[in-house]
Amino acid sequence: MDRVAPFQRYFTLSQSQNPIKPKKVSPASVALGPALISPATQLSNLSLSYSWSHLSPSPAFHFSDDLKEVNSLESVKVLHARLLKMSNSWSSDSMTKSLISSYVKFNDFRAATTIFFVGFARNYVFWSSFLDELQSCGGQTRRVLEVFGELCGKGMVFDSKVLTLVLKMCASLMDPWLGLQIHADLVKKGFDLDVHLKCALMNFYGRCWDLESANQVFNEMVEKKELAWNEVIMLNLRNERWEKAMELFRGMQFSCAKAYASTVAKLLHCCSKVGALEEGKQIHGYVLKFALESDLLVSNSLINMYSRNNRLELARRVFGLMQDHNLSSWNSIISAYATHGYLNDAWNLLKEMESSDVKHDIITWNCLLSGHALHGSHKAVLKIFRRMQVVGFRPNSSSITSVLQAVIELGILKFGREIHCYVIRNELDYDAYVVTSLLDMYVKHNDLGKAQAVFSCMKSKRNIVAWNTLISGYSFKGLFDDARKLMNEMEEEGITPDLVTWNSLISGYSMWGQGDEALGLIHQVKSSGMSPNVVSWTALVSGSSQNGSYRESLEFFSQMQREGIRPNSVTLSSLLRNCGGLSLLQKGKEIHSFSIKNGFIEDVFVATALIDMYCKSGNLKAAYEVFERIENKTLATWNCLIMGFAIYGLGKEVVSLFEQMLGADIIPDAITFTAVLSGCKNSGLVNEGWKYFDSMSSDYGIIPTIEHYSCMVDLLGRAGYLDEAWDFMQSMPLKPDATIWGALLGSCRIHKNIQLAEIASKKLFELEPYNSANYVLMLNLYAMFDRWGDVECIKDLMSDIGVKNGQVWSWVEIDQIIHVFCAGENHPDEGEIYYELYHLVSEMKKLGYKPDVKCVYQNIDDSEKEKVLLSHTEKLAITYGLIKSRSITPIRVIKNSRICPDCHTAAKYMSLVKNREIFLRDGSRFHHFSEGKCSCNDCW
């Protein structure tokens, strides 16, 4: 123990170099004054206001009667003096306890502590009650240690029980020097340490110094008893030294010592925390070997261990083999099923629990709340919340956190404000998790003012999570100056920004199209001494993807790979979104292969992103195959596939998928109905569209949004029911927006209803004055009726406002090289393309193709209009694909605007003449051309 020697200069517990035997001291004989000496202390030396030397023992002295008359500190001292004179009649501990309580009552904590050390310090029960009494009257626990030091300095020697308790106090109060002094003095005197004192030393070093010192105390024990083994294992577990704890546990078994049930339970808890299933199974074997399964704490820990390690069937088996189930057992198994998404089973277990005469508590309800919130059953969360209050449970901070999560997902800020009021009324705003959830709710509902107010009024200490939540709110809104200001304030309060702080800024900048600034933050993170992780790079990749900057996002991913950062499931989902946005089928297939090779294919988010990518890249068959392989299909998975079929115009398949989803007990949401109604409008299924629109509110309680009304207007208008579409618009409870008027204008172009078109266009010119697509539609419509004067008026209007036609382009991918065709720009192989296209059009005309010159809104003759039609970018891209690709490969063309009727007709004839499949994705949907037909059935 040479390592502790240097610290001895700070303290001197005793001047003697030899072990001192404890002096036998009566509690009543302890003199209380500025100096603490022997029991023979002269009373005249005591610092009391009374002279007690004249007092003599009186046969009429009755302690209990005199105690009732005590009404001041001085009267306590008088009573104490009389006890000193009558020490021979000191008969019970109750007198000492009463005397201590009296000193504590009148705030003479030093006197109370001194008497206690002499009288009761070896009694663990009295020790605990004394400290509680001391603290309740305003005494400082640390003062107890000071009195202990004074007593030791005057030569009083205590046995191991007292030292054990004092060391525990040192550990509790984080007093490293006194504990070290005690240990040094014990070593110096050669004191024989019993196992309790050794365990107290280990605990002291583990809390106040370092775990290595604590383990050294254990290693230096000659005889290691069970208590020491259990203590050192628990100490390592509390310090999250999992591997060392398991090593000690194995050594404990070799020494034939037995682990306590509490130790086994803590080991199982750590197996749950770190995902150590195999080690957990070994501990389970130990439990069975030593018949510890009857201990409810151990069995409940086994249930939690198997549940946390995704072995729910083993957790249920342990539960089933238990002879007795307490409330904690039921809560553990209910939580296991709810956490893993088996919500119906969790409710069935609750019924079994009630039939077993075990009453549920707030934890039971919180398990159900968190399970439903975790698995997206947000409406069920609100029902559970109401039900638990009906049966008499007051929601606590854990309940509120789950409910606020549901409020965020459902977007019901009004109810969230009610919850906020409940939090304030019930003083739950001290809880950091509750306040952070409130912050998150206001941030995600775009109420940064209220979020800032909640943050400013936080009663609990603002932790880094609260700061990061508000910073991310400002960042995602594009208010980067405010976010930076908050970050500076955060540092001024002594909280250093972590990677989460930086990542929220990186994500915000990239989402708002400021990729260079976001990349600059990556470099700033490096210069601050931190290493950007996969989340940092994924924030950059994902933010750019959400902003529609797909190419930039892919470039950032390339940089991420050069940095040696391995992508995670979120990264892959973002990359697949990029591939879908750009229809990069081959790149998407490569990511699919990477996902399979690296075990990401089981991730439902990656699988859903794969479905989306294949749908948007023109490979619906592959999308369906991925869907079929998913074992636990989520609502998002179903929605993605339904929307995929919808954009191809496969309305009947959409309806079939929707019915299958209902048969799988998946409850549709607003997004589901948007997808279903889109399928109906793209296929002309008017009756089905009305059916599902009406069922939204009547069967599922979903209030239709503007997207649903837009689908219905589009459905009715495309089907030729323009008057009905108009009446529907007039009766809808929401004010028609640009999407509604745009749907009506598109239908007017199809059915050549120029009167309604002029009404719709007038509204659109007001709502979207700079959207060139609306002007182009009217130019097209006027050109169809040869109203060239109106065509010129529209052109003049565009010129006056400053509206320019957006650049029109189409592209086709050949051998992983993208070839772009832009209006007004030449292609290197232009001559070869036009040569092939002229021959192709000649073949098409023989089969009945007639160029639709009405699609050209220029006042030129028809022969010139036919030449203009040949220059449409989608025709050039398809032709180039036919020239350069293999004869069996489908042609996949992407166009940034709506395909014109002539190109749609031409693509059908091209697929027939060349016997090739052609997939064309325009600005609104997909067209699959094969054998002279289109998947949209000309309903577009």
Side-chain angles (χ1 to χ4, degrees):
M1 303 299 291
D2 294 339
R3 61 185 300 184
V4 299
F7 295 105
Q8 291 184 20
R9 66 178 181 271
Y10 293 101
F11 297 96
T12 304
L13 286 180
S14 174
Q15 303 300 319
S16 174
Q17 298 298 315
N18 300 313
I20 301 175
K21 293 183 179 180
K23 298 175 182 178
K24 187 175 182 180
V25 184
S26 168
S29 65
V30 177
L32 305 177
L36 272 155
I37 46 180
S38 69
T41 302
Q42 295 296 322
L43 292 178
S44 58
N45 292 334
L46 298 174
S47 60
L48 300 175
S49 59
Y50 291 95
S51 176
W52 294 354
S53 58
H54 68 280
L55 293 176
S56 61
S58 171
F61 173 66
H62 297 288
F63 178 79
S64 58
D65 293 335
D66 289 1
L67 185 64
K68 294 177 182 177
E69 297 177 4
V70 169
N71 54 17
S72 66
L73 178 60
E74 299 304 322
S75 58
V76 175
K77 292 180 179 180
V78 170
L79 180 62
H80 189 184
R82 296 185 69 183
L83 282 173
L84 288 173
K85 290 288 185 179
M86 301 173 62
S87 58
N88 59 334
S89 62
W90 192 268
S91 59
S92 69
D93 288 340
S94 62
M95 290 185 181
T96 307
K97 287 179 66 179
S98 299
L99 190 62
I100 291 171
S101 296
S102 298
Y103 274 117
V104 170
K105 178 180 178 182
F106 294 106
N107 298 326
D108 192 343
F109 303 121
R110 180 179 175 279
T113 304
T114 304
I115 297 173
F116 180 81
F117 267 116
V118 176
F120 291 120
R122 294 158 190 79
N123 189 307
Y124 292 99
V125 177
F126 289 166
W127 177 272
S128 178
S129 62
F130 168 65
L131 291 180
D132 290 342
E133 186 176 8
L134 191 73
Q135 290 176 334
S136 66
C137 293
Q140 293 183 353
T141 311
R142 189 171 294 279
R143 180 62 181 153
V144 176
L145 295 181
E146 293 174 6
V147 172
F148 171 79
E150 292 174 9
L151 291 172
C152 291
K154 296 302 179 181
M156 185 170 286
V157 178
F158 296 101
D159 63 15
S160 62
K161 287 188 177 180
V162 177
L163 295 176
T164 298
L165 292 166
V166 171
L167 280 170
K168 287 183 177 180
M169 285 189 65
C170 290
S172 176
L173 295 172
M174 298 298 289
D175 189 332
W177 300 111
L178 180 57
L180 197 64
Q181 175 191 3
I182 293 170
H183 191 189
D185 202 59
L186 289 170
V187 172
K188 182 172 63 177
K189 295 175 183 177
F191 199 94
D192 183 24
L193 278 64
D194 67 14
V195 67
H196 295 282
L197 187 52
K198 290 174 183 176
C199 290
L201 271 173
M202 283 192 296
N203 186 52
F204 160 73
Y205 277 113
R207 280 184 61 88
C208 298
W209 290 95
D210 55 74
L211 192 58
E212 283 69 25
S213 299
N215 287 334
Q216 184 179 339
V217 171
F218 175 77
N219 292 333
E220 291 176 355
M221 291 183 188
V222 177
E223 183 183 359
K224 298 178 174 70
K225 296 184 179 179
E226 279 185 1
L227 178 62
W229 278 108
N230 282 277
E231 182 67 28
V232 74
I233 291 172
M234 292 290 278
L235 197 58
N236 279 272
L237 290 173
R238 282 194 291 268
N239 284 273
E240 298 186 349
R241 292 284 294 275
W242 155 248
E243 292 183 359
K244 180 65 176 177
M246 283 302 296
E247 178 189 326
L248 288 164
F249 179 64
R250 295 186 190 98
M252 180 184 188
Q253 295 175 67
F254 286 124
S255 71
C256 298
K258 186 178 178 181
Y260 299 156
S262 58
T263 307
V264 172
K266 186 68 175 178
L267 282 165
L268 288 168
H269 173 73
C270 286
C271 291
S272 306
K273 193 173 181 180
V274 302
L277 178 61
E278 291 306 314
E279 289 82 356
K281 286 181 176 179
Q282 292 171 21
I283 297 171
H284 192 177
Y286 182 89
V287 168
L288 296 174
K289 180 179 179 181
F290 291 97
L292 292 173
E293 67 272 18
S294 59
D295 188 287
L296 286 172
L297 177 63
V298 172
S299 292
N300 294 341
S301 299
L302 279 168
I303 293 170
N304 287 325
M305 186 275 292
Y306 282 123
S307 170
R308 296 278 183 89
N309 283 284
N310 299 316
R311 294 302 300 273
L312 193 57
E313 74 283 359
L314 293 179
R316 185 59 187 263
R317 191 178 302 173
V318 171
F319 180 81
L321 292 172
M322 291 172 66
Q323 293 182 353
D324 297 311
H325 301 102
N326 62 4
L327 178 60
S328 180
S329 311
W330 284 104
N331 284 344
S332 296
I333 196 67
I334 289 171
S335 174
Y337 273 87
T339 302
H340 284 82
Y342 297 97
L343 304 176
N344 291 334
D345 294 304
W347 282 106
N348 291 333
L349 282 165
L350 181 69
K351 293 176 183 176
E352 288 182 38
M353 175 183 176
E354 292 171 341
S355 64
S356 301
D357 294 328
V358 178
K359 293 184 178 180
H360 35 69
D361 64 356
I362 187 68
I363 296 174
T364 318
W365 289 102
N366 286 344
C367 290
L368 292 168
L369 281 171
S370 62
H372 283 76
L374 183 64
H375 292 281
S377 298
H378 303 299
K379 290 186 177 179
V381 170
L382 302 185
K383 291 179 181 177
I384 296 168
F385 183 67
R386 295 187 184 97
R387 182 176 169 184
M388 67 184 284
Q389 293 178 82
V390 169
V391 297
F393 287 98
R394 290 177 65 85
N396 61 13
S397 56
S398 179
S399 321
I400 295 299
T401 304
S402 296
V403 172
L404 286 174
Q405 184 182 344
V407 167
I408 291 168
E409 296 299 328
L410 294 172
I412 44 176
L413 182 58
K414 183 179 179 181
F415 184 65
R417 291 196 181 104
E418 294 176 15
I419 296 295
H420 191 175
C421 294
Y422 176 90
V423 167
I424 295 171
R425 285 198 308 270
N426 292 274
E427 299 182 348
L428 294 175
D429 46 350
Y430 70 90
D431 188 284
Y433 290 104
V434 171
V435 179
T436 304
S437 297
L438 282 169
L439 266 175
D440 195 36
M441 176 188 74
Y442 285 118
V443 164
K444 289 180 177 174
H445 281 89
N446 296 319
D447 194 344
L448 288 177
K450 184 66 72 174
Q452 182 69 63
V454 171
F455 181 78
S456 301
C457 296
M458 282 182 72
K459 292 182 179 179
S460 56
K461 186 178 179 181
R462 295 171 185 166
N463 58 18
I464 195 165
V465 178
W467 284 99
N468 286 344
T469 301
L470 194 56
I471 288 171
S472 69
Y474 282 112
S475 178
F476 293 158
K477 287 285 287 183
L479 304 171
F480 301 115
D481 290 340
D482 294 305
R484 289 283 196 170
K485 182 182 177 183
L486 265 178
M487 197 170 170
N488 293 334
E489 291 176 13
M490 172 182 173
E491 292 182 279
E492 288 171 5
E493 290 200 11
I495 299 177
T496 304
D498 61 4
L499 269 177
V500 177
T501 320
W502 289 104
N503 291 345
S504 64
L505 285 170
I506 292 167
S507 183
Y509 274 109
S510 58
M511 283 173 59
W512 282 85
Q514 300 184 38
D516 291 338
E517 288 81 356
L519 188 60
L521 287 173
I522 292 277
H523 299 308
Q524 200 171 335
V525 170
K526 291 179 183 178
S527 62
S528 69
M530 289 183 282
S531 299
N533 58 9
V534 64
V535 180
S536 312
W537 284 99
T538 300
L540 192 59
V541 171
S542 177
S544 300
S545 177
Q546 292 176 49
N547 184 52
S549 304
Y550 301 122
R551 289 187 178 279
E552 185 181 57
S553 180
L554 290 171
E555 289 170 6
F556 287 144
F557 176 66
S558 298
Q559 291 187 53
M560 174 181 173
Q561 288 181 304
R562 288 195 292 272
E563 292 281 336
I565 304 295
R566 181 180 173 82
N568 61 16
S569 58
V570 180
T571 320
L572 294 177
S573 299
S574 298
L575 288 172
L576 289 166
R577 187 187 301 118
N578 296 334
C579 295
L582 295 170
S583 291
L584 298 176
L585 180 62
Q586 191 57 41
K587 191 70 175 177
K589 286 181 176 179
E590 291 174 10
I591 298 171
H592 190 176
S593 299
F594 180 89
S595 301
I596 295 171
K597 189 184 299 182
N598 292 275
F600 289 111
I601 197 64
E602 300 299 325
D603 188 288
V604 69
F605 295 104
V606 173
T608 303
L610 275 168
I611 294 170
D612 183 61
M613 182 276 295
Y614 278 122
C615 287
K616 291 178 179 177
S617 299
N619 196 336
L620 202 56
K621 180 181 178 183
Y624 190 75
E625 288 173 354
V626 173
F627 175 82
E628 284 288 282
R629 292 193 187 101
I630 300 175
E631 290 186 13
N632 299 314
K633 298 177 178 67
T634 64
L635 175 61
T637 310
W638 284 96
N639 285 349
C640 190
L641 189 68
I642 291 172
M643 183 59 82
F645 276 83
I647 61 176
Y648 278 86
L650 303 173
K652 292 181 179 179
E653 287 80 358
V654 164
V655 171
S656 176
L657 274 173
F658 179 72
E659 296 299 330
Q660 287 179 47
M661 187 188 86
L662 296 180
D665 293 328
I666 302 292
I667 300 173
D669 63 0
I671 297 172
T672 316
F673 280 103
T674 300
V676 171
L677 292 175
S678 295
C680 292
K681 76 172 185 179
N682 289 339
S683 304
L685 302 178
V686 177
N687 293 333
E688 289 83 352
W690 273 119
K691 171 188 171 183
Y692 291 118
F693 181 81
D694 291 338
S695 72
M696 285 179 63
S697 53
S698 61
D699 297 339
Y700 301 100
I702 299 172
I703 299 173
T705 64
I706 199 72
E707 288 83 5
H708 302 111
Y709 284 106
S710 177
C711 286
M712 287 304 297
V713 171
D714 208 0
L715 169 62
L716 294 171
R718 289 189 193 190
Y721 301 107
L722 290 171
D723 291 339
E724 192 172 347
W726 176 258
D727 293 339
F728 181 81
M729 289 172 60
Q730 301 307 306
S731 62
M732 58 187 276
L734 302 176
K735 184 179 180 180
D737 68 352
T739 61
I740 300 285
W741 289 110
L744 183 65
L745 180 59
S747 300
C748 290
R749 184 195 64 81
I750 294 171
H751 299 288
K752 301 179 178 60
N753 189 321
I754 202 161
Q755 292 179 333
L756 268 181
E758 287 177 334
I759 296 172
S761 64
K762 184 179 179 181
K763 287 287 185 181
L764 285 168
F765 295 162
E766 293 174 3
L767 294 169
E768 297 179 327
Y770 299 102
N771 186 350
S772 61
N774 300 323
Y775 297 93
V776 171
L777 275 174
M778 284 308 296
L779 286 171
N780 240 317
L781 198 54
Y782 283 134
M784 288 180 186
F785 288 91
D786 294 327
R787 291 174 54 170
W788 302 109
D790 291 318
V791 168
E792 292 303 318
C793 287
I794 294 292
K795 288 181 178 180
D796 291 341
L797 179 61
M798 292 175 69
S799 178
D800 293 341
I801 297 175
V803 180
K804 293 182 179 180
N805 278 332
Q807 189 177 40
V808 179
W809 51 257
S810 300
W811 59 260
V812 62
E813 184 179 1
I814 308 292
D815 296 329
Q816 299 193 44
I817 298 174
I818 293 175
H819 297 267
V820 182
F821 297 86
C822 296
E825 295 184 13
N826 297 327
H827 189 275
D829 297 322
E830 186 179 80
E832 183 182 4
I833 294 169
Y834 275 108
Y835 180 79
E836 177 64 26
L837 184 55
Y838 276 117
H839 283 283
L840 189 56
V841 170
S842 298
E843 293 294 319
M844 289 159 54
K845 286 182 176 179
K846 292 176 184 178
L847 296 175
Y849 166 66
K850 292 181 180 180
D852 187 354
V853 294
K854 294 291 185 181
C855 292
V856 179
Y857 50 85
Q858 293 171 280
N859 192 9
I860 53 180
D861 60 46
D862 287 353
S863 62
E864 290 300 316
K865 287 182 179 180
E866 286 191 31
K867 292 178 182 179
V868 171
L869 289 174
L870 286 176
S871 66
H872 283 196
T873 59
E874 55 265 55
K875 285 193 183 78
L876 299 175
I878 293 171
T879 305
Y880 192 70
L882 292 170
I883 295 170
K884 297 296 183 181
S885 63
R886 291 174 296 173
S887 60
I888 58 172
T889 307
I891 308 299
R892 302 178 191 278
V893 173
I894 311 301
K895 181 178 171 62
N896 69 332
S897 59
R898 185 185 178 94
I899 187 174
C900 77
D902 178 71
C903 288
H904 187 268
T905 304
K908 289 194 290 185
Y909 277 99
M910 287 176 173
S911 70
L912 181 62
V913 171
K914 291 294 185 179
N915 193 26
R916 297 283 291 275
E917 285 185 285
I918 300 170
F919 291 90
L920 192 147
R921 174 182 168 185
D922 68 7
S924 59
R925 60 177 294 170
F926 261 96
H927 300 271
H928 176 200
F929 301 98
S930 179
E931 297 179 350
K933 296 179 181 178
C934 180
S935 59
C936 71
N937 292 318
D938 296 333
C939 182
W940 57 283

